[in-house]
Amino acid sequence: MHLLVMSKKHPKTRKQTGLAPGTMVFTGTRKVDEVKVHYLKYNTTEIFETEYTSHDAVKVIPVDQELVDWYDVRGLHDTDLIESIGKSFEVHPLVLEDIVDVRQRPKYDEYPLGNFIIARALSFDKDLREIIIEQVAIYFNKGLLLSFQENKSDLFIDIRNRLRTSGGKVRSRGADYLCYALIDALVDNYFVVLDEIEDEIDTIEQRLLIDPDEKIKIDIHHLKRETLKVRKSITPLRDSVSRFSNSDSPYVDQGTELYLRDLNDHVIQIVDISETYRDVLNGLQDLYLSEVSNRMNQVMKVLTVVTTIFVPLSFLTGLYGMNFVDIPELQNPNGYFYLLGAMVLIFLALVVYFKRKKWF
Amino acid sequence: MHLLVMSKKHPKTRKQTGLAPGTMVFTGTRKVDEVKVHYLKYNTTEIFETEYTSHDAVKVIPVDQELVDWYDVRGLHDTDLIESIGKSFEVHPLVLEDIVDVRQRPKYDEYPLGNFIIARALSFDKDLREIIIEQVAIYFNKGLLLSFQENKSDLFIDIRNRLRTSGGKVRSRGADYLCYALIDALVDNYFVVLDEIEDEIDTIEQRLLIDPDEKIKIDIHHLKRETLKVRKSITPLRDSVSRFSNSDSPYVDQGTELYLRDLNDHVIQIVDISETYRDVLNGLQDLYLSEVSNRMNQVMKVLTVVTTIFVPLSFLTGLYGMNFVDIPELQNPNGYFYLLGAMVLIFLALVVYFKRKKWF
Amino acid sequence: MHLLVMSKKHPKTRKQTGLAPGTMVFTGTRKVDEVKVHYLKYNTTEIFETEYTSHDAVKVIPVDQELVDWYDVRGLHDTDLIESIGKSFEVHPLVLEDIVDVRQRPKYDEYPLGNFIIARALSFDKDLREIIIEQVAIYFNKGLLLSFQENKSDLFIDIRNRLRTSGGKVRSRGADYLCYALIDALVDNYFVVLDEIEDEIDTIEQRLLIDPDEKIKIDIHHLKRETLKVRKSITPLRDSVSRFSNSDSPYVDQGTELYLRDLNDHVIQIVDISETYRDVLNGLQDLYLSEVSNRMNQVMKVLTVVTTIFVPLSFLTGLYGMNFVDIPELQNPNGYFYLLGAMVLIFLALVVYFKRKKWF
Amino acid sequence: MHLLVMSKKHPKTRKQTGLAPGTMVFTGTRKVDEVKVHYLKYNTTEIFETEYTSHDAVKVIPVDQELVDWYDVRGLHDTDLIESIGKSFEVHPLVLEDIVDVRQRPKYDEYPLGNFIIARALSFDKDLREIIIEQVAIYFNKGLLLSFQENKSDLFIDIRNRLRTSGGKVRSRGADYLCYALIDALVDNYFVVLDEIEDEIDTIEQRLLIDPDEKIKIDIHHLKRETLKVRKSITPLRDSVSRFSNSDSPYVDQGTELYLRDLNDHVIQIVDISETYRDVLNGLQDLYLSEVSNRMNQVMKVLTVVTTIFVPLSFLTGLYGMNFVDIPELQNPNGYFYLLGAMVLIFLALVVYFKRKKWF
Amino acid sequence: MHLLVMSKKHPKTRKQTGLAPGTMVFTGTRKVDEVKVHYLKYNTTEIFETEYTSHDAVKVIPVDQELVDWYDVRGLHDTDLIESIGKSFEVHPLVLEDIVDVRQRPKYDEYPLGNFIIARALSFDKDLREIIIEQVAIYFNKGLLLSFQENKSDLFIDIRNRLRTSGGKVRSRGADYLCYALIDALVDNYFVVLDEIEDEIDTIEQRLLIDPDEKIKIDIHHLKRETLKVRKSITPLRDSVSRFSNSDSPYVDQGTELYLRDLNDHVIQIVDISETYRDVLNGLQDLYLSEVSNRMNQVMKVLTVVTTIFVPLSFLTGLYGMNFVDIPELQNPNGYFYLLGAMVLIFLALVVYFKRKKWF
């Protein structure tokens, strides 16, 4: 099932128990061959970027409070590399433990030396018709932002491009605004996923109203689970963003608050939409069940009408197929035709009766 | 489905992802050929109004704090026009982004230079038997009010008329009271929509009690979805109005609070009624399901009664239709009549038995 | 349906939209020919009462803070009269609007010059087996209490009698205590209505356990709706009474608080009981559905037993009714009796089989 | 039904409406012939007890703050007696009204001269398999505790015994601790009742898994109602105990708080268990409904298999029982045996087919 | 059932009622022959451990605030031993009562001389496919930690090992951190149990989609109950951990707060997952019910098709099996073949009709 963690394609690594708090154990699936660290340094006027692939090559440049240093780590299996990065920037061990444990619930925590936020990137796999969940962890303080994701694909390509074209607002602000921008990019994607779900719901509703088949109940069940994934990803994010926006941490600038409030509105909107989808799916399920009952009724009526009409008629034929020595009707030369006539009358009477009952 | 956004008649434009916050993207459908801006300026003694259709013609008149300037923009596809209006009045970019994104959740936000409220105008389309939702955005500060809607139709004609006839209370108050009056006009319309829904519920209940047909389950489902639309529109508005009425913003006058509290009462009443409708519709659905089961029972009883009566009788006719060389009863000259008598007795016994069981 | 407003006997007037706040529109049904105003003035030692029927005759006597003036208005269609009373006592226009709009949700509001409470009087119409809802509005300040109701019948006869017999506690206290006493009298009546509902539930449960018929599902549905009426009337009253009892308004005396707290306890108790009834009714509905399924099972078993026993036997009779030239069994002189024996054995075997399966 | 009040054995007296607040009306059933008042006076070193049965005999001894005076009144029908006791100790009239109205919701109220708590004593009647509810009211201040119950049976025998054996902690503490001890004794009994319910649930579950019969649905319904009784009794008690333990009343000692917190834990545990039982009972009901559906399926399969096998065979026998002048097969001397062979083949084919479908 | 307490294998001891608060009564099952007390004393540099089995041998060493003394008591039936330990360390009697009453709800309480936390250790018994619950009680103050469990098995072996290898963080911190570490170890195990449940859910879902059998409904019911156990164990723990982490008790160090917050995140995550499982299981149950209905439909269709085809044909054969003297068709030499042809046509027409209706 791997409900809230990843696609069915990947087996799940389970965390060992009994480890000391702060012990780093990668609980995901190795999705990249080699961990890549993309490094980007900017302020309003300058921008510099590079990419490290080798372990030793990651050079930690002392943080310059005038600039924002963004290390974007893609691939989490190399816990040594992540630990060494963590140590360079004095990241708390509990943060490092959470970064590599990809089964985290979205959350926002403030540590003495930096703030830490975990969110989920959602994407809709059109082939599997399934939502793919990827965990994204972001740690930031005054001039530093570390982001961690499992895949090679660049989730934040749009933001990187906005950074590259000088003049964007993000260039003139600190790491807290960059963190907001990253989360905002993730949340924007939720709307895309919800649109896909809405399309699926539309399709199911059409099928249900026009020609309901048996697969519908499985499709509704499947869609309810995918919607549950969205809900379970966004509900804790709501609390996180709300606490982020009300933060009085020294690493969160007052001016970012308006943007975080706007992000908060979007998150609440997603919660709202996903709850609406749940309600609609429950409604469709009820409708499907009514439909099944109705069809059963339909089948039963056919059976009953056919039986009720022919069983008495067959009884009559049986009656006159008996071999008693003296059945007076049988001797009547027109007996057969009288009986045929009676049968037609019975038949018509029953048909009229059932018509009136609207049974067919 | 287009659940909470617009009627089925209009396709939905989806918002691009990866855009910088504050980027204006119109997500609705172009419902007017040309954006019209209706301008109205008034104080207790004077009133002046005009209408701009051309882009360049919108003359921004410096705001006079003694007067209220109301710009009512109808049509949202011309984002350039809206941006230029926004810039003239120093409206925050996040507000402008929200104005043209017609998929917003109702909300109330306070910005340093003005307050912003998003609500939904509901109307009931009697042909489609569907609720039409239109987003309305209102931005106001001391002497200025900007309102934005998608359609050409004047949602606020009554208020405009009250303004024109001098002496109304609204003429002697500021932009915050005008904003209250606009929201109040929208909310008044919710009652009309709820009345339509109640009529539909009444009709369904009558049909259910008198002559339930298969379409009822779809009608109930449809009505539950329409009621959901009202609930999903009014619930966030409740929070918005509540925060509006408790606001300590410099743009909200103390004297307006009593009116906002009254508006709040109405909003809560709508929430209450729409929840009642949901409960009643759920009750009707349960009743419908019981009804379906009962009808099935009815059908089954007919089948069982007919089968139970005629199958044993047919067995008897079969018995005496056999061709054994020696079946003594067949030789009895009155055998046929004895058998007929026995059959009538069996028939009557079974009829009495089923009558007692109240099966027909 | 007229769910929460009034009995089915009365058509509903709908409020016009687009009116200025504070515009008085009577939304109920004219239930009295002429509005009557009952006037009662009292303090610990004196009491004086009279009744006005003509419009002009209502003489507004200046309020004497040592005395309590109680105007009890019965009939709401004469908005002019109510407006003139309102103006005499400086009642806020929003209060007057709410008084004549009989579709209000129970609420408690404090205005600068007086407090305003809306509640619902419930009574159980034994013929319609329906709860009749009537709106009661009460406005009071230091020495004045105005009460408004739609019907001629005196809801507060007991209190009036307690007032007339000097010595009752109510004579020695202010208008706030009188308001408490009026609400308390209304709430006392809720218990009576709940007792009626409990009787109905008892009856339904008895019928369900002893001899369930098809009407039960409609009766349960009906009772759930009546219980919903109570719940929807009392839940908002709970908030109102709670805010009333915690009020720091100058018109509410400290000494009244204990009584309001006691009233609050009663209101919570009613909420509690009505929720219990809802749970019990849902339980009865589930029980009814199980019962329907069980009965279906019963019917199916009869059908199956009869079919399973007689269809193979009939097959045998058919077999020996065939006209093949050579069916050896037919030539056996005792063939018929052997077959009869075999049939009896089959019959008994199947009867034993079904007995063991407990199918009948 | 008498849902939350008492056993079915006792009719319910209904409270009159329209009475002044503080009017004492006994709403229970007279369960004792004569009201008995058990009086117990103690401090760390001394203890004295006596019992009054006659009305006049109750001698009110002035309260000595060094001692605790406990009057335990058994039987509530004699409102005069209770009123005279109440007057002697200056008990508020609203308290007296609540004491004799046995339909109260559990609550905790603080009055200027004493604190008042209402709780319910539950016991499980093994014969009726029903929970018996009795209301207990306790009023206490510095050195005085009044307890009121309907029955003669001593609910608090254990505490009385602990008091008699000097050295128990209760002897060294005030009336607030005694009140805690009484409530704690009542709450302890809830666990006993819950154990009885758990036994009943176990039995039902066993029956459901092994041999479900029709009575199960009524037993589940009955048990859900009994569990509802516990939940409706304990949920308001939770709030009461919580407010009791956070009280800053002069009559509640600081040192009692730890004990009240512990009592609170027990109450929450009971709430928790009773909610678990509700969930489990709902689960059992779902299971029962599945079971009913399954059984229906089973029955239907038998019917279908028998019909599908024998109806075509019977058709064949009918075919060769016709009296056409020329049916070539009939003339074939081995025709009968060929047909028998074909029938056996059809029979076996259908049996194999249904076996594969796992229909039997 | 023994729902939330222990495995079905062990009978439950019920607590006597009427005991004084603080009376110790062991309510569990004696699972060990002899109570063992494992004693461990450590600070950053030193560590010393021993094990006592005899009652008298437990030497209470005066607590040295520089060191942490951890007494781990395994087996709870020897209440005398536990009482004597309790007295040595001045543990509050209410704490001791709770330690030996193994039916406690998880909770966190602060007493003047120490803090007390109750949690549940969960493990999944693969044979019974059942969650085993064991109660763990922990009491700690500055330099002392007492832990109590029922079984001999060492729940905390990992922590003990981390303590033995010097250098672990736990060695350098106080008893509050040790308490955190113990709870954290218990909570880690919840994830293991949840993984087992997820595996079971996966299996059920596969069976449901591929080949649903009747046992599924019982397996779903069973799994819902096991999930309920997790939820009922973790939900109160959430409150406890949250209060622990916000504690301002002198026995909880500031530095431990970060770790407790992290623990809190884990606990919330478990709540979240267990609620997801509940939702998924409810979805599976709905799916199962749809499946049952569908299967019934399937069965009914087979029955109806067979009946509708053969009953009219059999009627025809009966018609021409009658013995009337003059049935003209019978004299037609080709009558039999004409009839056969007509029957084939009727058969084909009905088959086409049902094919179109998609009934098979």
Side-chain angles (χ1 to χ4, degrees), chain D residues 49-323:
Chain D
E49 59 183 308
T50 183
E51 196 167 276
Y52 306 100
T53 49
S54 151
H55 187 171
D56 305 307
V58 180
K59 289 179 202 129
V60 172
I61 298 139
V63 172
D64 176 350
Q65 301 250 340
E66 293 303 297
L67 295 157
V68 174
D69 291 65
W70 173 18
Y71 295 85
D72 183 24
V73 183
R74 295 178 211 152
L76 300 178
H77 63 269
D78 189 347
T79 52
D80 290 344
L81 172 63
I82 289 165
E83 193 165 14
S84 78
I85 295 179
K87 280 198 175 142
S88 315
F89 297 113
E90 297 178 279
V91 178
H92 197 283
L94 288 171
V95 168
L96 296 177
E97 182 191 5
D98 286 348
I99 285 169
V100 293
D101 181 0
V102 297
R103 316 194 314 165
Q104 295 293 309
R105 194 173 179 268
K107 64 177 180 177
Y108 173 77
D109 278 335
E110 298 188 349
Y111 287 85
L113 298 176
N115 299 344
F116 180 53
I117 191 161
I118 285 186
R120 288 184 185 148
L122 301 190
S123 57
F124 193 83
D125 184 319
K126 295 214 182 214
D127 299 326
L128 290 171
R129 291 164 75 203
E130 210 179 274
I131 294 172
I132 309 297
I133 294 180
E134 193 188 347
Q135 179 167 309
V136 175
I138 300 171
Y139 178 84
F140 69 93
N141 53 33
K142 203 66 201 165
L144 172 78
L145 188 140
L146 310 174
S147 63
F148 300 85
Q149 58 188 87
E150 282 177 273
N151 273 326
K152 208 162 36 181
S153 74
D154 193 349
L155 284 168
F156 303 124
I157 184 70
D158 294 316
I159 291 172
R160 229 178 290 278
N161 285 338
R162 292 217 306 270
L163 279 171
R164 282 165 192 149
T165 61
S166 70
K169 187 182 291 147
V170 68
R171 283 280 289 278
S172 62
R173 294 184 168 249
D176 57 339
Y177 187 87
L178 178 59
C179 175
Y180 149 72
L182 298 183
I183 304 287
D184 192 51
L186 295 179
V187 167
D188 259 10
N189 248 312
Y190 281 57
F191 285 103
V192 178
V193 168
L194 286 176
D195 279 339
E196 299 282 353
I197 290 182
E198 189 166 329
D199 285 348
E200 297 267 324
I201 294 178
D202 276 345
T203 314
I204 285 182
E205 186 170 47
Q206 287 311 311
R207 280 165 59 199
L208 194 49
L209 293 181
I210 293 166
D211 182 22
D213 56 291
E214 275 185 46
K215 254 199 94 264
I216 280 184
K217 68 177 192 294
I218 292 168
D219 289 347
I220 292 176
H221 174 70
H222 176 77
L223 220 50
K224 279 171 81 174
R225 277 229 334 233
E226 297 307 298
T227 312
L228 190 64
K229 276 186 191 171
V230 180
R231 218 160 63 240
K232 289 284 172 184
S233 300
I234 195 73
T235 313
L237 191 59
R238 179 176 52 181
D239 304 337
S240 305
V241 169
S242 157
R243 284 171 52 218
F244 188 2
S245 77
N246 295 319
S247 169
D248 52 359
S249 144
Y251 310 122
V252 182
D253 199 69
Q254 280 292 74
T256 313
E257 201 201 312
L258 272 188
Y259 292 90
L260 286 170
R261 213 178 53 189
D262 190 68
L263 172 60
N264 204 19
D265 286 341
H266 292 170
V267 169
I268 291 175
Q269 198 183 345
I270 291 168
V271 171
D272 213 53
I273 296 177
S274 70
E275 282 172 358
T276 303
Y277 288 174
R278 181 198 52 194
D279 291 352
V280 171
L281 282 167
N282 283 336
L284 288 180
Q285 185 165 292
D286 289 348
L287 197 58
Y288 175 73
L289 281 176
S290 305
E291 186 54 38
V292 168
S293 286
N294 263 322
R295 304 220 140 197
M296 178 96 86
N297 248 349
Q298 225 52 28
V299 172
M300 292 302 305
K301 281 178 183 169
V302 169
L303 175 64
T304 303
V305 166
V306 168
T307 304
T308 308
I309 289 177
F310 283 101
V311 160
L313 296 183
S314 287
F315 164 72
L316 286 180
T317 67
L319 200 65
Y320 295 110
M322 293 192 297
N323 299 322

Side-chain angles (χ1 to χ4, degrees), chain A residues 1 103 109 225 300 320, chain E residues 202 205 265 269 300 323:
Chain A
M1 191 168 57
R103 314 194 315 164
D109 278 335
R225 276 227 338 230
M300 292 303 305
Y320 295 110
Chain E
D202 276 345
E205 186 171 48
D265 286 342
Q269 199 183 343
M300 292 303 305
N323 299 322

Side-chain angles (χ1 to χ4, degrees), chain B residues 202 205 269 291 300 323, chain C residues 1 103 217 225 300 320:
Chain B
D202 275 347
E205 187 170 46
Q269 198 183 346
E291 186 55 38
M300 291 303 305
N323 299 322
Chain C
M1 192 167 54
R103 314 194 316 164
K217 67 175 192 295
R225 278 228 334 234
M300 291 304 304
Y320 295 111

Side-chain angles (χ1 to χ4, degrees), chain C residues 12-277:
Chain C
K12 188 170 50 186
T13 315
R14 276 161 188 187
K15 196 175 172 181
Q16 262 177 280
T17 58
L19 297 170
T23 310
M24 293 173 69
V25 181
F26 176 55
T27 57
T29 325
R30 184 167 175 163
K31 292 176 187 163
V32 290
D33 290 335
E34 204 180 6
V35 174
K36 283 195 186 167
V37 179
H38 184 277
Y39 172 65
L40 205 152
K41 187 189 200 81
Y42 67 87
N43 63 8
T44 320
T45 50
E46 297 167 74
I47 183 160
F48 165 78
E49 58 183 310
T50 183
E51 195 167 276
Y52 307 100
T53 49
S54 152
H55 188 173
D56 306 307
V58 182
K59 290 179 202 127
V60 173
I61 298 138
V63 172
D64 175 351
Q65 300 250 338
E66 294 303 297
L67 295 158
V68 174
D69 290 66
W70 173 17
Y71 294 85
D72 183 24
V73 182
R74 293 176 211 154
L76 300 177
H77 62 269
D78 190 346
T79 52
D80 290 343
L81 172 63
I82 288 164
E83 193 166 14
S84 78
I85 294 178
K87 279 199 175 142
S88 314
F89 297 113
E90 297 177 280
V91 178
H92 197 284
L94 287 171
V95 168
L96 295 178
E97 183 191 1
D98 286 349
I99 286 170
V100 293
D101 181 1
V102 297
R103 314 194 316 164
Q104 294 294 310
R105 193 173 179 268
K107 63 177 180 177
Y108 173 76
D109 278 335
E110 297 188 349
Y111 287 85
L113 298 177
N115 299 343
F116 180 53
I117 192 161
I118 284 186
R120 287 185 187 147
L122 301 190
S123 58
F124 193 82
D125 184 319
K126 295 214 181 216
D127 298 326
L128 290 170
R129 291 164 75 204
E130 209 178 274
I131 294 172
I132 310 296
I133 294 180
E134 193 188 346
Q135 178 167 311
V136 175
I138 300 170
Y139 177 86
F140 69 93
N141 53 33
K142 203 67 202 166
L144 172 77
L145 187 139
L146 309 174
S147 63
F148 301 86
Q149 58 189 87
E150 283 176 273
N151 272 327
K152 207 161 38 180
S153 75
D154 192 350
L155 285 168
F156 303 123
I157 183 70
D158 294 315
I159 291 172
R160 229 177 290 278
N161 286 337
R162 292 217 307 269
L163 279 172
R164 281 166 193 150
T165 61
S166 70
K169 188 182 291 148
V170 68
R171 283 280 289 279
S172 62
R173 295 185 167 249
D176 57 338
Y177 187 88
L178 177 58
C179 175
Y180 149 72
L182 299 183
I183 304 288
D184 193 51
L186 295 179
V187 167
D188 260 10
N189 248 312
Y190 281 56
F191 285 104
V192 178
V193 168
L194 285 176
D195 279 339
E196 299 282 354
I197 290 181
E198 189 166 329
D199 284 349
E200 297 267 324
I201 293 178
D202 276 346
T203 314
I204 285 182
E205 187 170 47
Q206 287 311 311
R207 279 165 59 200
L208 194 49
L209 293 180
I210 294 166
D211 181 22
D213 57 290
E214 275 186 46
K215 253 198 96 263
I216 280 184
K217 67 175 192 295
I218 292 168
D219 288 346
I220 292 176
H221 173 72
H222 176 76
L223 220 51
K224 278 171 83 175
R225 278 228 334 234
E226 297 308 298
T227 312
L228 190 63
K229 276 185 190 172
V230 180
R231 220 161 62 240
K232 289 285 171 183
S233 300
I234 195 75
T235 314
L237 192 61
R238 180 176 52 182
D239 304 337
S240 305
V241 169
S242 158
R243 284 170 52 218
F244 188 2
S245 77
N246 295 321
S247 168
D248 52 0
S249 145
Y251 309 123
V252 181
D253 200 69
Q254 279 293 75
T256 314
E257 201 202 311
L258 272 186
Y259 292 91
L260 287 171
R261 212 178 55 189
D262 190 68
L263 173 60
N264 204 20
D265 286 342
H266 292 170
V267 168
I268 291 174
Q269 198 183 346
I270 291 168
V271 172
D272 213 53
I273 296 177
S274 69
E275 281 172 358
T276 303
Y277 288 175

Side-chain angles (χ1 to χ4, degrees), chain D residues 328-341:
Chain D
E329 298 91 317
L330 294 181
Q331 308 312 324
N332 187 324
N334 294 321
Y336 175 59
F337 301 102
Y338 292 156
L339 182 66
L340 274 188

Side-chain angles (χ1 to χ4, degrees), chain B residues 174-190:
Chain B
D176 57 339
Y177 187 88
L178 179 58
C179 175
Y180 150 72
L182 298 184
I183 303 288
D184 192 51
L186 294 181
V187 166
D188 259 11
N189 248 311
Y190 281 56

